[in-house]
């Protein structure tokens, strides 16, 4: 009876981890959209989230150090500015533009357009030779791009400004995740653990996004009664509380992804991400009143087929060519962290328990 019981427990644990990932991932999307309806300062909101993520990652590093007794990595200034800064700048622009777009577009259009990030990830992974050329990739590109066209064609809630922002964010996201993979795969830097990577990225991300915030929102926010010109304390506390909740959701999203992939596999995370998009669109139609016609739904289905094909190809070639083939996963939702992937040789019952040896495993990005 040990084997069936163990199998059931493992299945229930996987379901629980997937549901936890859904709560944070879908939750932060709807929460940010809801917050933007009354607090129209997306770049300031992003800066608050970055500050909270830095504090929480610092506390997590401290807890890990106390638990393991091993000191955490701290990069020198030369490596920090030369090797981390480009990744931080791309990440800041990706997240900032994504949050900014919520002022103009619906959740359904945001979700669908953001899914096109796989095209740019494939492009830059080929440029940096992280992905091996494959004729099937042409089919993946055609399916995703045609699905995106069908989804936006004759859409009644299409906004060109917001769409351009998300598409630009997806393009920068391709650079972001490619640079992140290069950063984490440099063993000499010691940033294999996503918490360490997050800790080093947040300060430079803050500095990179701050000038754009000053130019676009600085004067308006300084005269707003929501923060700096409040006449009562309660509205200020309410604004800070709502912004802080988003930061906690962002950190919880990255941590839930890390738990899911470390306790299962990166394939589980990829498949979960595909079904998450379906849940997001259904909830957007039911809760937010997003309108989609049959052609839009068909375009979404075609795009999901392209993403599913990419996940399947990645899994197939990983099994046949071994862990030396470094590839990128297909999705990159808002503020998601680079994740550790379990090696094929470690995928047995003993690999279920997480420990510090996970830092030496092969890296993949989601």
């Amino acid at each position: 009876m040990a084997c069936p019981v163990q199998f059931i427990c493992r299945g229930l644990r996987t379901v629980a981890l997937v549901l936890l990932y859904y709560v944070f991932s879908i939750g932060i999307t709807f929460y940010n959209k809801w917050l933007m309806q009354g607090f129209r300062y997306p770049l300031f909101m992003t800066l608050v989230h970055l500050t909270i993520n830095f504090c929480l990652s610092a506390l997590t590093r401290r807890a890990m150090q106390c638990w393991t007794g091993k000191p955490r990595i701290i990069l020198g200034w030369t490596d920090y500015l030369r090797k981390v800064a480009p990744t931080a700048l791309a990440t800041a622009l990706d997240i900032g533009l994504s949050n900014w777009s919520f002022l103009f577009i619906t959740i359904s259009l945001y979700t669908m357009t953001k899914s096109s990030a796989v095209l740019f990830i494939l492009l830059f992974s080929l440029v940096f030779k992280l992905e091996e050329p494959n004729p099937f990739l042409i089919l993946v590109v055609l399916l995703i791009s045609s699905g995106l066209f069908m989804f936006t064609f004759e859409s009644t809630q299409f906004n060109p400004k917001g769409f351009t922002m998300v598409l630009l964010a997806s393009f920068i996201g391709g650079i972001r995740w490619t640079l992140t993979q290069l950063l984490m795969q440099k063993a000499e830097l010691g940033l294999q653990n996503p918490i360490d990577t997050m800790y080093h990225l947040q300060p430079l991300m803050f500095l990179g996004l701050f000038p754009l915030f000053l130019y676009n929102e600085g004067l308006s926010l300084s005269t707003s009664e929501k923060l700096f010109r409040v006449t009562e304390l309660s509205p200020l506390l309410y604004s800070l509380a709502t912004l802080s909740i988003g930061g906690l959701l962002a950190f919880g999203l990255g941590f839930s992804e890390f738990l899911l992939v470390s306790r299962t596999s990166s394939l589980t995370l990829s498949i979960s991400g595909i079904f998450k998009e379906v849940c997001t669109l259904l909830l957007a139609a039911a809760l937010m009143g997003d309108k989609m016609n049959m052609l839009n739904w068909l375009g979404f289905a075609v795009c999901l087929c392209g993403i599913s094909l990419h996940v399947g190809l990645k899994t197939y070639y990983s099994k046949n060519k071994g862990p030396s083939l470094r590839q990128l996963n297909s999705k990159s939702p808002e503020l998601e962290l680079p994740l550790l992937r379990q090696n094929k040789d470690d995928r047995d019952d003993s690999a279920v328990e997480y420990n510090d040896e996970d830092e030496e495993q092969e890296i993949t990005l989601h």
Side-chain angles (χ1 to χ4, degrees):
M1 291 296 294
C3 290
V5 172
Q6 192 177 39
F7 177 79
I8 293 174
C9 292
R10 188 179 302 175
L12 292 175
R13 183 193 60 198
T14 301
V15 171
L17 291 174
V18 170
L19 291 177
L20 182 66
Y21 163 60
Y22 280 9
V23 168
F24 284 112
S25 182
I26 298 176
I28 192 173
T29 300
F30 281 85
Y31 187 82
N32 286 346
K33 178 62 177 178
W34 168 81
L35 185 60
M36 287 298 98
Q37 294 176 354
F39 187 87
R40 304 181 69 83
Y41 301 99
L43 298 181
F44 179 77
M45 178 192 73
T46 305
L47 292 179
V48 174
H49 290 179
L50 295 178
T51 303
I52 293 175
N53 285 333
F54 174 75
C55 295
L56 292 178
S57 59
L59 291 175
T60 305
R61 278 165 51 94
R62 172 63 66 177
M64 295 169 64
Q65 182 172 333
C66 294
W67 179 264
T68 62
K70 300 178 181 179
R72 309 305 304 178
I73 184 69
I74 298 180
L75 294 181
W77 282 106
T78 302
D79 288 336
Y80 188 53
L81 295 177
R82 292 180 56 186
K83 300 179 180 179
V84 179
T87 306
L89 180 60
T91 305
L93 292 176
D94 178 17
I95 297 172
L97 288 171
S98 297
N99 289 335
W100 197 351
S101 68
F102 277 126
L103 293 177
F104 309 102
I105 63 174
T106 61
I107 289 179
S108 56
L109 182 58
Y110 168 84
T111 301
M112 183 63 187
T113 309
K114 197 66 174 174
S115 298
S116 66
V118 64
L119 301 178
F120 303 109
I121 293 176
L122 285 174
L123 171 64
F124 288 106
S125 61
L126 288 172
V127 171
F128 287 94
K129 297 182 179 180
L130 296 173
E131 184 99 25
E132 293 188 355
N134 189 303
F136 287 103
L137 294 180
I138 300 177
L139 181 59
V140 172
V141 171
L142 291 176
L143 285 173
I144 297 177
S145 56
S146 59
L148 180 61
F149 174 78
M150 293 168 64
F151 189 87
T152 57
F153 185 73
E154 292 185 353
S155 176
T156 58
Q157 296 175 305
F158 180 78
N159 184 290
K161 186 175 182 179
F163 175 75
T164 303
M165 283 185 176
V166 183
L167 201 60
L168 181 59
S170 298
F171 175 81
I172 298 175
I175 302 175
R176 164 195 178 184
W177 291 112
T178 305
L179 291 178
T180 302
Q181 180 169 8
L182 290 172
L183 180 69
M184 296 183 68
Q185 286 178 343
K186 294 178 180 178
E188 68 273 11
L189 293 180
L191 295 181
Q192 286 80 9
N193 190 291
I195 297 297
D196 293 328
T197 305
M198 189 176 185
Y199 173 81
H200 285 83
L201 284 176
Q202 304 306 305
L204 289 177
M205 288 172 61
F206 187 98
L207 294 177
L209 196 61
F210 192 73
L212 184 60
F213 155 73
L214 286 180
Y215 175 78
N216 188 70
E217 300 177 0
L219 181 60
S220 176
L221 185 64
S222 63
T223 59
S224 172
E225 295 183 356
K226 292 183 177 297
L227 285 177
F228 294 108
R229 295 189 62 187
V230 293
T231 56
E232 297 181 5
L233 183 60
S234 56
L236 175 62
L237 295 178
Y238 176 78
S239 298
L240 294 177
T242 52
L243 291 172
S244 299
I245 291 175
L248 294 175
L249 288 174
F251 185 82
L253 170 61
F255 196 73
S256 63
E257 286 180 327
F258 176 61
L259 283 178
L260 178 60
V261 79
S262 63
R263 295 300 181 108
T264 57
S265 68
S266 60
L267 178 61
T268 303
L269 184 62
S270 300
I271 296 175
S272 302
I274 295 174
F275 286 101
K276 186 207 70 175
E277 308 297 351
V278 178
C279 296
T280 302
L281 260 66
L282 292 175
L283 288 174
L287 300 179
M288 308 297 291
D290 290 8
K291 299 177 182 179
M292 293 177 289
N293 54 38
M294 186 59 65
L295 182 63
N296 300 148
W297 281 109
L298 181 60
F300 177 66
V302 172
C303 185
L304 285 186
C305 289
I307 296 173
S308 302
L309 176 61
H310 178 60
V311 173
L313 289 173
K314 187 178 74 70
T315 304
Y316 174 79
Y317 284 103
S318 295
K319 289 182 178 180
N320 284 274
K321 296 186 179 181
S324 61
L325 179 61
R326 294 174 177 176
Q327 293 178 315
L328 293 172
N329 268 353
S330 60
K331 305 286 291 173
S332 62
E334 191 60 33
L335 260 175
E336 285 182 2
L337 295 176
L339 301 167
L340 303 181
R341 178 184 176 186
Q342 290 179 318
N343 286 330
K344 288 168 51 182
D345 296 337
D346 294 334
R347 286 182 181 172
D348 51 25
D349 292 339
S350 63
V352 175
E353 297 300 325
Y354 172 74
N355 52 47
D356 288 336
E357 294 177 359
D358 288 336
E359 295 185 15
E360 304 299 327
Q361 293 172 347
E362 182 193 1
I363 296 168
T364 189
L365 298 178
H366 181 79

